Amino acid sequence: MAELQLDPQKTALVLIDLQNAILGMTPAPHSADKVVENSVKLANAFRAKGAPVVYVRVDLNDFLKLPVDQPHNMGDKPLPAVASEIASSAGFQRGDILITKRHWGAFAGTDLEQQLKNRGIDTVVLTGISTNVGVESTARQGTGLGFAFVLVEDACSAQDAEQHRYAFEEIFPRLTRVRSTDEVLTSLA
């Protein structure tokens, strides 16, 4: 595994779905609190280096409904708007970028690609919940657009530990670079 070196002028941190409704789930293998804690550490380090920090949330009341075999059931009534808001514990700050998506991946139907390209970004460090949904979809879409990715294993979590393990051991190493929070922090120093 090659040593990771990140150029803060060309690297952005993107945090997926650290919003109230999602953080109320019980992900595995890492708790929602641990994902948030590690994501906030990274966000603070990125801001200190002048690198962009992007929070992505899904609008749960405007989720794109497509014909699928296992539809996502969010009930018949609209959810309170607070469910789609970034959780206060996730550390969103003035100057951070906020992207609202309508489906799994953060690039489809949003201006994320343009926001990053306008800033000269070619590498994305990615964290969030859920590993196999929003995180993986964003990484797959973004690599197709030419962005390099670093996925932070201990700042992501899934609906169950086996899904997370499989993604980080079998999928992501072929698509991205996989590192820990500490390894990413060291690469910015």
Side-chain angles (χ1 to χ4, degrees):
M1 185 181 318
E3 181 181 343
L4 182 65
Q5 294 197 355
L6 297 173
D7 178 351
Q9 299 301 309
K10 295 182 177 185
T11 306
L13 175 66
V14 176
L15 306 101
I16 300 294
D17 297 344
L18 300 183
Q19 62 193 72
N20 292 313
I22 306 297
L23 294 183
M25 298 178 354
T26 308
H30 307 293
S31 70
D33 288 344
K34 189 58 159 175
V35 170
V36 168
E37 177 187 327
N38 286 335
S39 294
V40 168
K41 283 181 194 174
L42 290 165
N44 290 336
F46 271 69
R47 286 186 203 102
K49 295 289 185 177
V53 175
V54 181
Y55 285 79
V56 178
R57 66 181 181 164
V58 61
D59 184 340
L60 296 170
N61 288 316
D62 192 27
F63 193 80
L64 184 61
K65 293 182 174 110
L66 298 170
V68 298
D69 288 334
Q70 294 181 6
H72 201 67
N73 183 5
M74 291 185 251
D76 296 332
K77 296 180 183 176
L79 296 169
V82 70
S84 296
E85 292 175 6
I86 299 295
S88 60
S89 61
F92 182 85
Q93 293 185 11
R94 183 181 173 108
D96 293 342
I97 301 163
L98 179 62
I99 300 290
T100 301
K101 62 186 173 115
R102 295 185 57 228
H103 204 251
W104 306 122
F107 286 98
T110 73
D111 69 344
L112 179 57
E113 177 184 11
Q114 202 57 49
Q115 290 272 0
L116 297 175
K117 286 185 175 177
N118 286 348
R119 290 169 172 79
I121 301 302
D122 63 15
T123 302
V124 173
V125 174
L126 194 57
T127 78
I129 299 173
S130 175
T131 302
N132 308 97
V133 184
V135 173
E136 184 170 341
S137 295
T138 298
R140 287 180 181 274
Q141 291 169 352
T143 57
L145 297 170
F147 292 101
F149 278 80
V150 177
L151 270 75
V152 188
E153 189 280 329
D154 59 352
C156 293
S157 206
Q159 293 176 6
D160 71 55
E162 178 54 25
Q163 290 177 8
H164 179 87
R165 183 207 62 75
Y166 185 82
F168 273 96
E169 290 179 12
E170 303 297 331
I171 304 291
F172 296 152
R174 293 184 176 111
L175 189 65
T176 72
R177 291 167 289 173
V178 172
R179 300 294 189 276
S180 68
T181 298
D182 288 342
E183 288 171 315
V184 172
L185 292 171
T186 299
S187 74
L188 282 171

